[in-house]
């Protein structure tokens, strides 16, 4: 197990990396699989420290202390070097997904405007790719550009420790924008290190715990959970491009096999993707017996996914008990709840009672099984609160999840009013607080947190609450042509009445000879039988049509806007 020095001893991430260099300079810190397979690049702790110092000294020479720098990188080790280079220079990193076209440019432009970034750290290839977009939009005219390929040829400037403190801002994590405009979460060195302790304890990590990851670095799960956790442990991380995983999910499982990975995870859809895409004959090449923690978070966890994945990969040595559903959000750095004495936990509840925000256990086979998201860490206070009265809910009621603890942000960047509304809140009947309002609905049962969905996505028809992810699951399971496909459910208002709309992607093999009327009839029947709802409209679309955030979350509001504008192209029109 980890010694006490590693559990409580670090004040900043700079101090953490310097400690690693002192005690294990030649140990591999990160391996990047360039092609998602065998071709790899490696980085030792000493190499990371040396190049981060060079970049940090250059940023300091330019007067960068306290300034912001956007990080625009393709997947690879350069992002990690740039992130620590910012920390070594006292510069606030702003990880961003590089835009690919004019449609994705507004997000970057808004982040640049909000963060008032002075620097852009990137690679020559991305810079060249951005030239047409920059010229067309006038984006980032005043930025100072630094290229990671040039770090080793920078002037030999002496590096000075920026003397950061635990409350020093380390980076801005911009929210995914699944329900609103992205906001900059202010994450301090102390927030991160507290969260690393929480992850280590919940996952029962040791210094031998390697982490195998495909998740994007510019999101909290990828950065906090999969990049920084191995360094905190003093182990190593293996990373690959998200695209490499999405193209061939078996690459992730092969990497776990090859490096005998202990920990790896991602959103629920990634496990579904493995179940669908990995062929039966490929199972014999996998050894997943080393996989002890298969964390599942960032979107609602489906217990059926856990069961399907466990059944399919049991012949490869995978154990269902490895599944660790968890809950977190950027405003709490990352991790809030997960793990516990028993995992994974499934609770069968009455779906009709849940529409009234009541939790009623159902007899086996008569309800819907909800996956637990684990238990809160000892340092975290978690409350379930009525989002309207702001009073604490009794156990057995669904309410908004409120969080307090050392990992919760102090505020959003340059957004005092929104910060006061979200962070500085108190429970009305007890005066407890301040708490962070998550915007997520959930309930507690026997100490386990169960997440029900986003408040803003809640569908209310005839005064009854319906959770969109439940309707979406019913839709995707109603016909073979929809199995594993993405769909989204939302309501629209017509003549003062709320009406249900479902946008449903069709699985690729069924597109060519699709019987659309048969599929739509199956969806309507299933939703009516399970949820007692009439579907006002169904739009069947091609794979990739439903808008998602860069972290893989459904953008239901964006999809609704496309529907209302008539911009969604149905399969019938496409064929």
């Amino acid at each position: 197990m980890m010694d006490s020095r590693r559990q409580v001893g670090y004040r900043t991430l700079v101090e953490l990396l310097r400690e690693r260099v002192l005690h294990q300079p030649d140990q591999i810190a990160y391996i990047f699989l360039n092609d998602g397979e065998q071709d790899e690049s490696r980085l030792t702790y000493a190499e990371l420290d040396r190049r981060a110092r060079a970049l940090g000294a250059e940023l300091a020479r330019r007067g960068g202390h306290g300034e912001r720098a956007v990080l625009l990188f393709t997947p690879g080790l350069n992002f990690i070097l740039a992130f620590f280079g910012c920390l070594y220079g006292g510069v606030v990193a702003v990880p961003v997904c590089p835009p690919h076209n004019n449609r994705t440019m507004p997000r970057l432009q808004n982040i640049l405007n909000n963060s008032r970034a002075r620097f852009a750290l990137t690679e020559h290839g991305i810079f060249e790719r951005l030239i047409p977009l920059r010229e067309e939009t006038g984006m980032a005219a005043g930025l100072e550009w630094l290229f990671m390929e040039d770090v080793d040829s920078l002037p030999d400037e002496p590096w000075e420790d920026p003397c950061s403190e635990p409350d020093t801002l380390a980076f801005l994590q911009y929210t995914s924008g699944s329900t609103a405009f992205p906001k900059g979460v202010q994450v301090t060195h102390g927030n991160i290190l507290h969260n690393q302790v929480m992850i280590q304890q919940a996952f029962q990590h040791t210094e031998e715990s390697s982490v195998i990851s495909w998740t994007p670095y510019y999101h909290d799960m990828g950065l906090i959970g999969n990049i920084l956790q191995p360094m905190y442990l003093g182990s190593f991380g293996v990373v690959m491009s998200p695209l490499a995983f999405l193209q061939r999910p078996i690459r992730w499982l092969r990497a776990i096999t090859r490096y005998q990975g202990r920990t790896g995870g991602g959103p629920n859809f990634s496990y579904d993707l493995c179940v669908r895409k990995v062929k039966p004959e490929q199972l014999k090449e996998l050894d997943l017996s080393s996989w002890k923690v298969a964390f599942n978070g960032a979107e609602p966890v489906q217990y059926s996914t856990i069961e399907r994945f466990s059944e399919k990969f049991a012949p490869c040595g995978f154990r269902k008990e490895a599944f660790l559903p968890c809950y977190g959000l950027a405003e709490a750095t990352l991790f809030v709840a997960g793990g516990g004495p028993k995992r994974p936990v499934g609770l069968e509840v009455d779906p009709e009672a849940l529409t009234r925000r009541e939790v009623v256990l159902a007899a086996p086979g008569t309800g819907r099984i909800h996956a637990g998201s684990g238990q809160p860490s000892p340092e975290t206070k978690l409350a379930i609160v009525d989002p309207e009265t702001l009073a604490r809910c009794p156990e057995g009621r669904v309410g908004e999840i409120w969080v307090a603890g050392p990992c919760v942000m102090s505020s959003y960047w340059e957004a005092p009013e929104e910060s006061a509304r979200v962070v500085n809140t108190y429970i009305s009947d007890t005066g407890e607080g301040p708490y962070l309002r998550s915007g997520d609905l959930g309930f507690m049962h026997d100490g386990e947190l169960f997440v029900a969905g986003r408040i803003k996505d809640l569908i209310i028809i005839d005064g009854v609450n319906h959770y969109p992810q439940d309707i979406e699951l019913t839709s995707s399971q109603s016909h073979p042509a929809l199995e594993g496909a993405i769909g989204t459910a939302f309501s629209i208002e017509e003549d003062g009445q709320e009406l249900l709309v479902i946008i449903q992607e069709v699985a690729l093999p069924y597109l060519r000879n699709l019987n659309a009327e048969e599929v739509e009839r199956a969806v309507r029947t299933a939703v009516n039988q399970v949820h007692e709802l009439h579907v006002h409209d169904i739009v069947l679309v091609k794979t990739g049509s439903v808008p998602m955030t860069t972290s893989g979350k459904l953008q239901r509001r964006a999809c609704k806007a496309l529907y209302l504008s008539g911009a969604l192209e149905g399969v019938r029109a496409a064929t």
Side-chain angles (χ1 to χ4, degrees):
M1 294 295 292
M2 293 183 62
D3 59 41
S4 59
R5 170 176 59 84
R6 283 185 173 146
Q7 292 187 39
V8 298
Y10 308 115
R11 291 166 49 82
T12 70
L13 291 169
V14 173
E15 183 179 313
L16 170 60
L17 178 51
R18 298 293 287 169
E19 178 81 1
R20 292 284 167 262
V21 174
L22 181 64
H23 292 283
Q24 50 200 99
D26 299 324
Q27 179 177 316
I28 297 297
Y30 299 104
I31 298 172
F32 178 69
L33 301 178
N34 300 304
D35 58 355
E37 299 278 357
Q38 300 290 322
D39 182 26
E40 63 177 38
S41 301
R42 295 182 170 224
L43 193 64
T44 66
Y45 283 113
E47 290 169 330
L48 173 56
D49 171 74
R50 176 182 62 80
R51 299 181 70 183
R53 279 188 286 114
L55 179 56
E58 176 64 15
L59 290 168
R61 186 185 70 81
R62 298 189 184 202
H65 194 279
E67 299 283 356
R68 274 73 57 207
V70 292
L71 275 53
L72 295 162
F73 290 94
T74 55
L77 300 178
N78 278 341
F79 173 90
I80 302 172
L81 290 164
F83 181 80
F84 276 94
C86 286
L87 298 179
Y88 273 46
V91 173
V92 178
V94 185
V96 182
C97 176
H100 299 287
N101 50 47
N102 285 337
R103 186 176 177 181
T104 57
M105 275 295 294
R107 173 179 168 84
L108 173 58
Q109 186 64 65
N110 289 330
I111 290 174
L112 288 170
N113 293 340
N114 181 255
S115 66
R116 291 181 283 112
R118 177 178 164 186
F119 301 103
L121 307 185
T122 190
E123 300 155 332
H124 288 294
I126 290 182
F127 181 79
E128 295 297 324
R129 196 178 75 206
L130 286 177
I131 288 177
L133 296 176
R134 291 169 55 214
E135 292 176 346
E136 185 174 339
T137 63
M139 180 272 290
L143 281 176
E144 295 184 38
W145 294 83
L146 288 85
F147 303 100
M148 290 307 299
E149 295 96 331
D150 302 336
V151 167
D152 289 334
S153 60
L154 288 172
D156 189 15
E157 297 284 344
W159 174 73
E160 294 184 9
D161 193 319
C163 299
S164 300
E165 298 290 335
D167 60 355
T168 298
L169 185 59
F171 77 105
L172 293 179
Q173 176 66 68
Y174 275 84
T175 57
S176 61
S178 59
T179 59
F181 179 81
K183 298 178 288 291
V185 176
Q186 299 193 79
V187 185
T188 68
H189 287 262
N191 291 150
I192 296 170
L193 291 170
H194 275 292
N195 215 245
Q196 294 302 315
V197 174
M198 291 165 58
I199 295 171
Q200 180 268 315
Q201 293 176 342
F203 291 11
Q204 298 183 344
H205 277 160
T206 73
E207 59 268 29
E208 305 298 326
S209 298
S210 55
V211 180
I212 317 297
S213 170
W214 61 267
T215 52
Y217 314 156
Y218 41 82
H219 286 292
D220 47 356
M221 177 182 283
L223 176 56
I224 304 295
N226 291 328
I227 298 297
L228 297 183
Q229 176 70 178
M231 175 171 290
Y232 175 77
L233 299 170
S235 62
F236 69 94
V238 179
V239 291
M240 69 176 66
S241 162
L243 183 59
F245 165 75
L246 294 172
Q247 290 174 336
R248 300 187 66 192
I250 195 172
R251 287 169 168 161
W252 182 38
L253 307 183
R254 283 172 174 163
I256 293 172
T257 298
R258 178 181 176 187
Y259 296 98
Q260 287 295 281
R262 184 190 188 279
T263 296
N268 192 84
F269 83 84
S270 60
Y271 294 100
D272 278 332
L273 200 61
C274 289
V275 172
R276 297 200 311 270
K277 296 294 186 180
V278 176
K279 299 175 182 178
E281 60 269 22
Q282 294 176 313
L283 297 179
K284 60 180 180 295
E285 66 181 88
L286 299 176
D287 177 8
L288 305 180
S289 59
S290 67
W291 199 356
K292 306 302 181 185
V293 179
F295 62 86
N296 186 335
E299 64 181 17
V301 180
Q302 302 293 343
Y303 200 79
S304 58
T305 298
I306 292 174
E307 292 182 316
R308 287 195 300 271
F309 187 94
S310 300
E311 180 180 0
K312 177 159 187 172
F313 294 100
C316 309
F318 183 84
R319 298 170 63 248
K320 183 178 180 180
E321 292 75 20
F323 263 111
L324 193 148
C326 49
Y327 171 74
L329 64 165
E331 288 84 347
T333 306
L334 172 63
F335 182 85
V336 171
K342 180 184 177 183
R343 69 177 205 245
V345 174
L347 188 70
E348 192 163 0
V349 301
D350 180 352
E352 193 277 330
L354 210 59
T355 64
R356 304 189 302 270
R357 294 191 180 177
E358 297 177 4
V359 182
V360 177
L361 300 187
T366 65
R368 171 160 290 183
I369 300 178
H370 287 253
S373 291
Q375 299 183 0
S377 74
E379 293 187 347
T380 300
K381 292 175 63 178
L382 192 150
I384 305 298
V385 179
D386 188 305
E388 297 167 359
T389 68
L390 306 188
R392 185 185 287 269
C393 293
E395 184 159 319
R397 290 286 297 177
V398 175
E400 185 179 9
I401 302 169
W402 287 21
V403 182
C407 297
V408 172
M409 69 173 186
S410 60
S411 63
Y412 292 114
W413 176 264
E414 302 279 295
E417 293 183 3
E418 181 71 2
S419 299
R421 186 190 70 80
V422 173
V423 182
N424 194 29
T425 52
Y426 293 79
I427 298 176
S428 62
D429 55 334
T430 65
E432 293 176 75
Y435 278 92
L436 161 70
R437 297 188 66 168
S438 71
D440 292 318
L441 292 168
F443 62 91
M444 299 293 296
H445 182 81
D446 288 343
E448 184 90 4
L449 173 66
F450 292 80
V451 181
R454 296 286 297 171
I455 291 176
K456 292 181 180 179
D457 290 334
L458 194 66
I459 297 171
I460 305 175
I461 295 179
D462 296 331
V464 179
N465 299 319
H466 298 275
Y467 302 96
Q469 66 270 19
D470 292 341
I471 298 172
E472 291 155 4
L473 181 63
T474 299
S475 175
S476 66
Q477 294 178 341
S478 65
H479 192 279
L482 309 180
E483 185 177 353
I486 295 170
T488 184
F490 53 84
S491 64
I492 61 171
E493 184 177 339
E494 285 190 6
D495 299 325
Q497 185 179 8
E498 290 294 315
L499 304 173
L500 175 63
V501 175
I502 296 176
I503 311 300
Q504 178 66 59
E505 293 184 0
V506 176
L508 281 173
Y510 290 86
L511 278 172
R512 184 178 297 275
N513 299 307
L514 181 70
N515 186 332
E517 291 185 0
E518 176 186 302
V519 174
E520 290 179 8
R521 187 166 54 250
V523 172
R524 291 182 187 276
T525 301
V527 171
N528 182 264
Q529 290 177 344
V530 176
H531 305 282
E532 297 183 350
L533 284 171
H534 168 72
V535 182
H536 170 71
D537 195 12
I538 300 171
V539 182
L540 301 178
V541 296
K542 291 182 178 180
T543 303
S545 300
V546 173
M548 310 274 287
T549 69
T550 51
S551 61
K553 295 180 182 177
L554 282 172
Q555 289 187 300
R556 295 187 178 93
R557 298 173 104 187
C559 193
K560 179 177 179 178
L562 290 173
Y563 172 81
L564 292 174
S565 69
L568 280 173
E569 185 180 15
V571 168
R572 284 171 173 163
T575 57

